[in-house]
Amino acid sequence: SVNLADQGLSGTIPPQLGGISQLKMLYLEFNSISGTIPSEMSKLSQLQLLYLYNTSISGTIPPDTSKLSKLEHLSLHSNSISGTIPSEMGKLSLLRYLHLEDNDISGTVP
């Protein structure tokens, strides 16, 4: 697991994080992270928990998020994410916790 929550980090999420093939938990909440969620994150096939809330992430939820087949918790609330929830996310059969409020997301949950 990588826990860098509330560490005063700034900048973007490095695409190289997608290369940590055995990563199960990623905590980056309460930092000043900007930019979008890199598509390389979809390579984290073992990821179970992803906490990116209370950062400054913008853009949309990447459709490739559906490749995170072991994902159980996804917390993206309190950011600047827009658009809709990709229909592909309906394939995440293990997802138990989806926290998206305080964004500009519209539409329905797949």
Side-chain angles (χ1 to χ4, degrees):
S1 92
V2 172
N3 187 348
L4 295 172
D6 203 12
Q7 295 296 307
L9 300 175
S10 61
T12 60
I13 299 173
Q16 294 85 350
L17 272 178
I20 307 174
S21 61
Q22 296 303 310
L23 188 63
K24 292 185 179 183
M25 295 174 262
L26 179 59
Y27 303 92
L28 295 175
E29 68 271 16
F30 295 110
N31 284 296
S32 296
I33 298 170
S34 60
T36 61
I37 300 170
S39 61
E40 290 83 359
M41 296 283 285
S42 67
K43 296 178 184 175
L44 297 173
S45 62
Q46 301 301 310
L47 195 65
Q48 297 170 355
L49 307 174
L50 179 58
Y51 293 110
L52 299 175
Y53 61 90
N54 284 323
T55 65
S56 295
I57 292 173
S58 59
T60 60
I61 300 171
D64 285 350
T65 302
S66 65
K67 293 181 180 176
L68 301 174
S69 61
K70 295 191 178 181
L71 195 63
E72 297 175 14
H73 290 213
L74 177 60
S75 188
L76 301 173
H77 68 86
S78 304
N79 283 299
S80 296
I81 297 171
S82 60
T84 60
I85 301 170
S87 61
E88 295 88 348
M89 286 187 61
K91 299 175 186 175
L92 296 174
S93 62
L94 298 179
L95 190 64
R96 302 289 181 254
Y97 181 83
L98 179 62
H99 206 139
L100 300 174
E101 76 267 8
D102 293 326
N103 283 292
D104 192 22
I105 297 172
S106 60
T108 60
V109 177

